[in-house]
Amino acid sequence: MIALFLLAGLFATVIGALPLGASNIAVINTTLKENIPQALKIATTAALAEVLLSFYALYYNMAVKEFLDTNQWLQILIAALLLLVGIFLFFKSKRKKDLKDSKSRFKNSKYLTGFVLGLFNPPVLVYWIVVFGILNSNELMLSINSPIPALLLFFLGVYLGKLGTLYMFSKFSVVIKERFTNVSLVVNKLTGSLLFTVGLFQFAKLYFI
């Protein structure tokens, strides 16, 4: 049972890390211009920043959970937003984007680049607050007072999920770039499908479970 916390942290992080963001593009840029080991320096500290953001969100999550419990309309709104964002990403038209535009300001420190890009990312904090609300509403209770093994496994899942996702971006960035004319289009379709599925599950839970 406790292993579910590891899987929950891993799965939630992978979903959140799939859309092309600053750290993802920095990893792709570094892989194409240098090599995978250099890109992994960015991924390592970006994953650490993800753990810090998720911990911060968890610290304030109980207040959010109490609000959600007394305002079911907000849970419906979250499920609807997941569906809409999923549909939007899936059908989003491709557009040209030069990866060079995302060149890091901290060229001399890949570790610093990854940490800064990962930490100063407000949408990720909001994402984790929503994730903890969903987890707690599905009886996978997790709070700052949860058993230490559960917390450690969850945050290990967060770290591995972020690091693994960025590694996959690095590993297959060249292959994907050769096979597809727009990398973000492929990623958006995958992310959209996942978010749409989660949204459907939330509606099913509210009305049928």
Side-chain angles (χ1 to χ4, degrees):
M1 177 65 182
I2 197 171
L4 289 177
F5 290 102
L6 175 65
L7 296 176
L10 186 68
F11 182 71
T13 306
V14 169
I15 291 179
L18 279 176
L20 284 180
S23 58
N24 306 56
I25 295 176
V27 166
I28 293 174
N29 273 335
T30 304
T31 302
L32 296 178
K33 295 177 181 178
E34 298 182 47
N35 50 51
I36 291 180
Q38 290 299 314
L40 285 180
K41 292 180 180 179
I42 295 176
T44 300
T45 49
L48 178 60
E50 187 85 10
V51 171
L52 293 177
L53 284 179
S54 61
F55 177 81
Y56 186 82
L58 178 64
Y59 190 82
Y60 290 102
N61 181 60
M62 293 311 296
V64 176
K65 180 181 182 302
E66 292 177 3
F67 181 77
L68 289 175
D69 288 341
T70 56
N71 294 272
Q72 191 179 46
W73 64 267
L74 189 56
Q75 298 184 50
I76 297 175
L77 177 61
I78 290 174
L81 286 175
L82 288 172
L83 288 173
L84 291 175
V85 172
I87 293 173
F88 171 77
L89 288 175
F90 188 85
F91 292 103
K92 185 178 180 181
S93 61
K94 64 179 182 179
R95 54 183 180 179
K96 294 181 180 179
K97 186 171 184 179
D98 189 356
L99 295 178
K100 294 181 180 178
D101 292 339
S102 300
K103 188 180 296 183
S104 173
R105 296 180 180 180
F106 305 100
K107 295 181 181 179
N108 296 326
S109 176
K110 298 295 189 300
Y111 293 113
L112 180 60
T113 298
F115 188 76
V116 171
L117 292 178
L119 188 63
F120 294 98
N121 198 345
V124 173
L125 180 60
V126 175
Y127 170 77
W128 277 112
I129 291 177
V130 172
V131 166
F132 287 127
I134 293 174
L135 288 178
N136 288 332
S137 67
N138 284 282
E139 298 183 357
L140 187 64
M141 297 299 297
L142 188 69
S143 72
I144 201 68
N145 296 318
S146 295
I148 292 179
L151 290 173
L152 290 178
L153 284 175
F154 181 83
F155 290 119
L156 177 61
V158 172
Y159 185 84
L160 293 177
K162 183 71 172 183
L163 184 62
T165 303
L166 292 179
Y167 174 75
M168 295 306 295
F169 269 104
S170 176
K171 188 72 174 177
F172 296 106
S173 58
V174 177
V175 176
I176 293 176
K177 186 172 184 292
E178 292 175 350
R179 293 187 178 182
F180 300 98
T181 57
N182 194 301
V183 178
S184 62
L185 180 63
V186 178
V187 175
N188 284 340
K189 285 189 177 295
L190 177 59
T191 306
S193 299
L194 290 172
L195 290 177
F196 187 81
T197 302
V198 173
L200 285 178
F201 177 76
Q202 287 303 304
F203 272 118
K205 182 183 68 67
L206 288 172
Y207 293 104
F208 301 107
I209 299 179

